[in-house]
Amino acid sequence: MTHVTSQAALRRRGKRQPGGAFGFAVTAAFTFIIASAPQPLLAQTRGGTLNFIVTPEPTALVDLATTATNVLKVSPKVVEGLLEYDFKFQPKASLATSWEVSDDSRKYVFHLRHGVKWHDGQPFTSADVTYSIQTLRQVHPRARTTFANVTDIATPDPYTVVITLSKPAPYLIKAFSSSETPIVPKHIYEGTDAQTNPANNAPIGTGPFRFVKWVRGSYVEYVRNDDYWDKGKPYLGRIVVKVINDPAARTVAFEDGSVDLSGDTPVPLSDLERLKGNPKLGLETRGYEFQAGVARIEFNLDNPVLKNPKVRQAIASALDREVIRKVIYYGYATPLASPIIPSSPYYDPAPTPYPFNVEFANALLDEAGFPRKADGTRFALTVDPLPIGDLPARTAAYVKSALARVGIAVTVRSQDLPAYLKRIYTDRDFDFSINGMSNLFDPVVGVARLYTTGSFRRGVPFTNGSHYSNPEIDRLFSQVAEETDEAKRKQLFSQIQRILEHDLPDINLVSPQYLTVYSRSVHNHTTSPDGVSASFADVWLQR
């Protein structure tokens, strides 16, 4: 077996790691973005309260059954994973101190940290890991794909976990972060419905912070875990997660010092120039390597109108991605038609088969049997933008205007996040939505969940919401999931992208560049690809 310690990068005999560095989502277009300026080395100070904005308000405090970014930002403060990762996606120790991967990549052995306790005093053991992975496979939007090849999880002793696979999964070693594979306490969850367990809203973990209370609509409070296994950490005494729904109010909160940190570009893009000039504030572009993804339109293919491929082709042809980049994203995005981001080694830069062409869009709609009526419209649709940030809603406004030019009347419908998730993924009461989906550490996990037949899972958010099914896509994703040759993987992903761009179960628009806004009194806020979705065990304040 290939042995990997907490201080060494994973090595496999004769095998190169796929996607060794997805790189930053920043392209040449973003070279003007301010990243955190180098700072002199300072001694860490202890204590203090970090005021951290998460928007919209989380729907849960544990990411066991959701991949919503607002939940991912809070869960890892309490609930940990087996591993952490550096900016090159190399694994580091967390609840596992060392690990081994067999030469045929079909067996993973994790050696767990001794002496770790859950926040209620119970010991952390291998049974918790086994329970968590088995439960994630049932309720998590991505885990069924991530752990698809797992045939057995053995626990020969309380500090050893052996995962056996039927086939190689070259991406699997990158899947054990707290934000992707959270380890929850078996003694709290076993025998309950994991999706409705009260601990999802009052978490018990092994992490650096303990949950105190959640005042709905206002804030979530965490305090330092004095019994944390990494002695001396965390440095912060307290974290207050504030809910500030108005984007302009968030800008003011940064300027007056009432908040210290927030991610996913929490302020209006139009305010960034002003914030760049504030010596007390900084902007950071790192910390989105796992989260980097694509803003997209997702069709409901059960809708009889949208089931017609010519209608989808017409909608694609009516949209100008360059307008979206400039007007909606203020230049902080890269136009693309692929579901895979440009910084990925698997990105296929082939141009879209349906470029912006209003005349062609009108012709397609005529051919599809939808002539204009007396009022100039052909038919009506409703769009549901994802209610996280203001960019999906602003994109929806543009789409409404653009489609009006080809006779499609669009109504923009607004709702809170729980209502949106229920409408799209449970009730399926929608025409099309505007959302964003992350590529994650490998497209097999981040992209396949949106398109494979088996990923249509009613009631499970951020999966195949279009209800798209193509046996060839299923076959290609199945093949690339176990392929270890990088050249062959790239070829397979190119085939996948070209089929999807032709079939149009969705329209990929741009790859956004996200930013973290922070007070310069906050140190070590971005130390990994998880960015502000990390544990904050290393964060400290210089007041």
Side-chain angles (χ1 to χ4, degrees), residues 188-424:
I188 297 294
Y189 281 86
E190 189 174 36
T192 73
D193 181 345
Q195 293 177 286
T196 60
N197 190 295
N200 291 333
N201 295 330
I204 295 171
T206 57
F209 296 94
R210 295 173 180 263
F211 169 76
V212 177
K213 60 183 173 181
W214 183 2
V215 179
R216 303 273 180 161
S218 184
Y219 67 92
V220 186
E221 181 181 357
Y222 302 92
V223 296
R224 184 182 191 273
N225 176 16
D226 292 326
D227 295 323
Y228 188 46
W229 54 261
D230 195 351
K231 300 304 179 186
K233 296 180 182 178
Y235 302 109
L236 296 171
R238 187 167 168 257
I239 298 174
V240 175
V241 176
K242 294 187 174 182
V243 178
I244 303 177
N245 293 320
D246 180 62
R250 294 196 288 270
T251 299
V252 172
F254 276 107
E255 291 177 321
D256 68 19
S258 58
V259 298
D260 304 303
L261 180 68
S262 188
D264 289 306
T265 317
V267 300
L269 291 171
S270 57
D271 289 346
L272 287 178
E273 284 300 320
R274 186 167 86 248
L275 295 184
K276 287 179 186 179
N278 189 325
K280 294 182 179 180
L281 300 175
L283 304 179
E284 174 64 81
T285 59
R286 298 177 306 162
Y288 298 98
E289 290 77 12
F290 275 138
Q291 187 180 324
V294 178
R296 60 201 282 268
I297 289 174
E298 185 170 50
F299 295 113
N300 180 356
L301 299 184
D302 296 328
N303 178 303
V305 173
L306 294 172
K307 193 171 185 177
N308 187 323
K310 289 189 176 182
V311 172
R312 303 196 301 275
Q313 293 165 14
I315 292 174
S317 301
L319 302 176
D320 189 340
R321 290 176 173 86
E322 189 60 22
V323 170
I324 294 173
R325 182 187 75 84
K326 289 181 179 179
V327 177
I328 308 300
Y329 285 85
Y330 284 74
Y332 291 83
T334 301
L336 84 171
S338 167
I340 297 179
I341 57 176
S343 58
S344 167
Y346 308 120
Y347 173 66
D348 185 337
T352 173
Y354 309 107
F356 175 57
N357 186 328
V358 174
E359 183 178 350
F360 182 59
N362 276 306
L364 283 169
L365 291 170
D366 289 338
E367 292 174 18
F370 295 102
R372 289 184 184 265
K373 294 178 283 191
D375 62 358
T377 66
R378 302 174 186 271
F379 54 83
L381 296 172
T382 298
V383 58
D384 293 281
L386 176 71
I388 295 181
D390 64 337
L391 292 172
R394 293 181 61 210
T395 303
Y398 163 73
V399 169
K400 176 179 179 176
S401 174
L403 296 189
R405 298 175 63 190
V406 296
I408 302 175
V410 174
T411 299
V412 179
R413 179 165 49 195
S414 300
Q415 59 228 297
D416 62 17
L417 184 58
Y420 170 89
L421 297 176
K422 183 176 183 294
R423 179 185 296 281
I424 304 299

Side-chain angles (χ1 to χ4, degrees), residues 368-490:
F370 295 102
R372 289 184 184 265
K373 294 178 283 191
D375 62 358
T377 66
R378 302 174 186 271
F379 54 83
L381 296 172
T382 298
V383 58
D384 293 281
L386 176 71
I388 295 181
D390 64 337
L391 292 172
R394 293 181 61 210
T395 303
Y398 163 73
V399 169
K400 176 179 179 176
S401 174
L403 296 189
R405 298 175 63 190
V406 296
I408 302 175
V410 174
T411 299
V412 179
R413 179 165 49 195
S414 300
Q415 59 228 297
D416 62 17
L417 184 58
Y420 170 89
L421 297 176
K422 183 176 183 294
R423 179 185 296 281
I424 304 299
Y425 298 102
T426 301
D427 300 340
R428 298 195 53 73
D429 176 26
F430 76 106
D431 297 330
F432 68 99
S433 68
I434 294 175
N435 57 43
M437 294 294 179
S438 304
N439 276 196
L440 300 167
F441 46 87
D442 193 278
V444 164
V445 179
V447 178
R449 63 185 164 126
L450 308 178
Y451 303 107
T452 55
T453 303
S455 294
F456 175 69
R457 301 169 63 191
R458 200 159 188 148
V460 180
F462 307 118
T463 50
N464 182 354
S466 65
H467 202 181
Y468 173 68
S469 179
N470 182 330
E472 180 65 4
I473 285 292
D474 295 343
R475 184 189 69 79
L476 289 169
F477 268 121
S478 178
Q479 186 177 346
V480 78
E482 59 187 82
E483 180 58 65
T484 57
D485 182 277
E486 279 298 289
K488 291 180 180 177
R489 289 193 104 221
K490 186 174 179 65

